[in-house]
Every structure is written in C-alpha cells, then in structure tokens.
Amino acid sequence: MNFKQLEYFAAVAEEGSISGASRALHVAQPPISRQLSLLEDELGVTLFLRTNKGVALTEAGRCLYQHSRQMFQSLRTMADSVRDVEAGARGQLKLGVIYSDVQTATQLLKQYHAQYPQVELYVRMGAPGDLLDDLGRGELHVLFLRSQSGRSFGLRERVLGEDPLELVMCPETDPAPGQDAVPIQALQNVPMCLLRSDDLWNYSRDLLEECRRAGFTPSVACHCYDTPMEMQMVQAGFGVGFLPRSIVAAHPGSPVYTKPVLEFAAKSYPILVWEDDPYQSGCVKRFLELAAST
C-alpha cells in the first residue's frame, strides 16, 4: 500500500466512479484501475462494488476510506505546521538573558508573544559566559547581553537602546541626600558593593578609575560575583552599587533607587547576540525582525 494508491482510492470513493476520479486527478483511467486492483490484491479484500452508475464502497472500502481521510487530514495538518514553522508562527524560541536585561527582554518578548502566540518560549537567565557557551553549542538561539565598547563576540549583534550607568543605593547609604546627582568627591569613604574585577562589562573598573582620577581610592566593602548579588547587598545596606539604571525597575516596591554620578556620564547598551546562520528557523527570524523594527 502506498500514498498514490490511497489517493486514487479516495478520489474514486468521493467521485463515485473511476472516470470522475480521472477528471478530478487529471490522470488517465487505466492507471487508476490498475492501482486499485493492486491495492485490493494486497489487502485481500474487495473495496468497490461495480454498479450501473459507477462504483460503491463495500464495508471494507468504507473502513479504508474513513482511515484514509484521517490520514490525509493528518498530512494536511503536518504540512500546515511545517509551513507555520517556516513562517515563524510556530516552533520553539530559546533565549538566554542576563539579569540586567530582564526589563528589556520581557518588553520585547511581550510584543513577540502577542504576534506569535503559538511559538513556545524557553527563557534562561544566566551568566554571560555560560550563555555564550550555550549559544555556541546550539542550545540557545538568541541572547540578551550588554555591550559598552561595541566589541564583537564573533557573532551578530543588534543594539536595543542605551541605559545609563548610575549609583544604586538605599536612603541610609545615599552619599548626597536631597540631590539629584552625586558629585564624584562625595564618594570618598563611601562603602561600595561592586561587581568583581573580571566582570565582562567593566562597570566597576570604569567607576574605580574615575574615582582615582578624582584623587582618591574608593572603599569597596564587597566584591559581588554577579548583578543579583550586588543588588541584594545594596538593599541590605552594605554600600552603594554601580549598575544600569533599568535594573531598579526589576525590583518594584524595593527601597533601592539610582542617581547619576555628576561628573561621570557612563552608559551601557542592551544588545541581542545570535549566530550568523542562514538556516535559522522562522520563529527566530521573526523575532530578530521584530527587534530590528522596535
């Protein structure tokens, strides 16, 4: 039994005659008759009864017709699903997000999900190095990272905007209460909770260098492994931090807030990073197109 035989069989059943199936399929009658005979021989049953008006299904024929209709519907559904995947309407989109990009990522994903609700989203938060490793192994499609200097990872990148780097603090650790910005000299002897010195984005290094240019060595109370830990230490009152301003939005109801350094206008840039692969799935292509249009 093969697909062509079932196609011919279903057409004859629906048209009620071999001549009608011939016209519908644009196939000569002898090949249709031949394939039906082979099908009956293989199954060992009679599928049609010949009548004066054409043919009628036997009980066995009705059973085969019912199953063949289900099969054809499944094939149509399968084809539609494959086309939807290529069009980006279905599939799986696997994303990696660093903590400081949560707000940017959720806003973009909300827009994407509204347009493509059938696409399954897999979102993983992690350290930049781990996420880049997973991207290289093909376990993630797109990453939300940060870039300060425009350096390349050997991958495709798209800048999603700019985010000022500011001091993060609580009321009790505010170096300049009542002021909208903190003068650099006000940071002398102020305990700081900063990312470790090998931080990929160099937030801490840039602030420390600015303090030294101002003539003092800052007091670092805590070197934090990652951004979430720095936020926790700042909120606990250990000192002030230095992070992208948008991070505070991920802590609604928190006493933590930010202020710029008066003489130091530093910025960070949320970026998308992905492999330069011409065979990306449709849902990945649509996501990147959306990111480019916003």
Side-chain angles (χ1 to χ4, degrees), residues 231-244:
M231 286 295 293
Q232 290 297 319
M233 298 299 285
V234 169
Q235 187 167 337
F238 279 83
V240 300
F242 189 64
L243 293 168

Side-chain angles (χ1 to χ4, degrees), residues 11 13 34 62 65 124-125 127-128 161 169 186 193 205 214 219 222 239 256 276-278 282 284:
R34 172 64 177 164
R62 281 192 291 272
Y65 180 62
R124 181 196 161 194
M125 187 181 297
M169 64 197 72
C193 299
R205 185 197 67 184
S219 173
C222 179
V256 173
D276 189 9
D277 181 0
V284 176

Side-chain angles (χ1 to χ4, degrees), residues 167 169 174-190 192 207 210-211 214 216 240 259-264:
L167 296 170
M169 64 197 72
D174 191 335
Q179 299 184 41
D180 294 333
V182 178
I184 192 72
Q185 292 295 338
L187 294 177
Q188 291 191 60
N189 303 316
V190 171
M192 293 186 181
L207 179 62
E210 188 66 20
C211 290
F216 66 93
V240 300
K259 288 184 179 182
V261 179
L262 191 59
E263 300 88 346
F264 183 43

Side-chain angles (χ1 to χ4, degrees), residues 31-195:
I32 296 177
S33 298
R34 172 64 177 164
Q35 291 300 322
L36 290 179
S37 295
L38 292 173
L39 182 59
E40 288 180 325
D41 290 343
E42 180 180 347
L43 295 175
V45 299
T46 299
L47 298 173
F48 293 102
L49 294 175
R50 276 64 179 177
T51 69
N52 293 333
K53 296 181 179 181
V55 296
L57 287 168
T58 64
E59 189 66 27
R62 281 192 291 272
C63 179
L64 180 61
Y65 180 62
Q66 181 180 5
H67 284 294
S68 65
R69 286 191 63 184
Q70 294 173 353
M71 185 197 73
F72 288 133
Q73 180 58 47
S74 295
L75 288 173
R76 284 191 291 270
T77 300
M78 178 180 67
D80 290 342
S81 295
V82 171
R83 294 188 187 101
D84 285 347
V85 168
E86 179 60 25
R90 293 178 184 270
Q92 295 181 351
L93 179 60
K94 299 180 180 180
L95 305 116
V97 184
I98 60 172
Y99 183 81
S100 60
D101 275 350
V102 168
Q103 292 300 114
T104 301
T106 52
Q107 290 172 9
L108 186 56
L109 288 174
K110 187 174 182 180
Q111 296 179 51
Y112 178 77
H113 182 66
Q115 294 187 33
Y116 304 101
Q118 299 302 314
V119 174
E120 296 178 274
L121 300 177
Y122 290 79
V123 185
R124 181 196 161 194
M125 187 181 297
D130 294 338
L131 296 179
L132 286 166
D133 287 343
D134 288 345
L135 180 69
R137 288 193 293 266
E139 297 174 8
L140 294 173
H141 296 131
V142 182
L143 305 183
F144 286 85
L145 298 179
R146 290 266 168 168
S147 175
Q148 280 188 282
S149 60
R151 59 181 172 271
S152 173
F153 295 97
L155 304 167
R156 297 291 302 278
E157 296 182 6
R158 183 178 302 282
V159 177
L160 299 176
E162 66 177 38
D163 197 359
L165 289 165
E166 298 187 349
L167 296 170
V168 186
M169 64 197 72
C170 292
E172 61 268 27
T173 58
D174 191 335
Q179 299 184 41
D180 294 333
V182 178
I184 192 72
Q185 292 295 338
L187 294 177
Q188 291 191 60
N189 303 316
V190 171
M192 293 186 181
C193 299
L194 302 178
L195 291 174

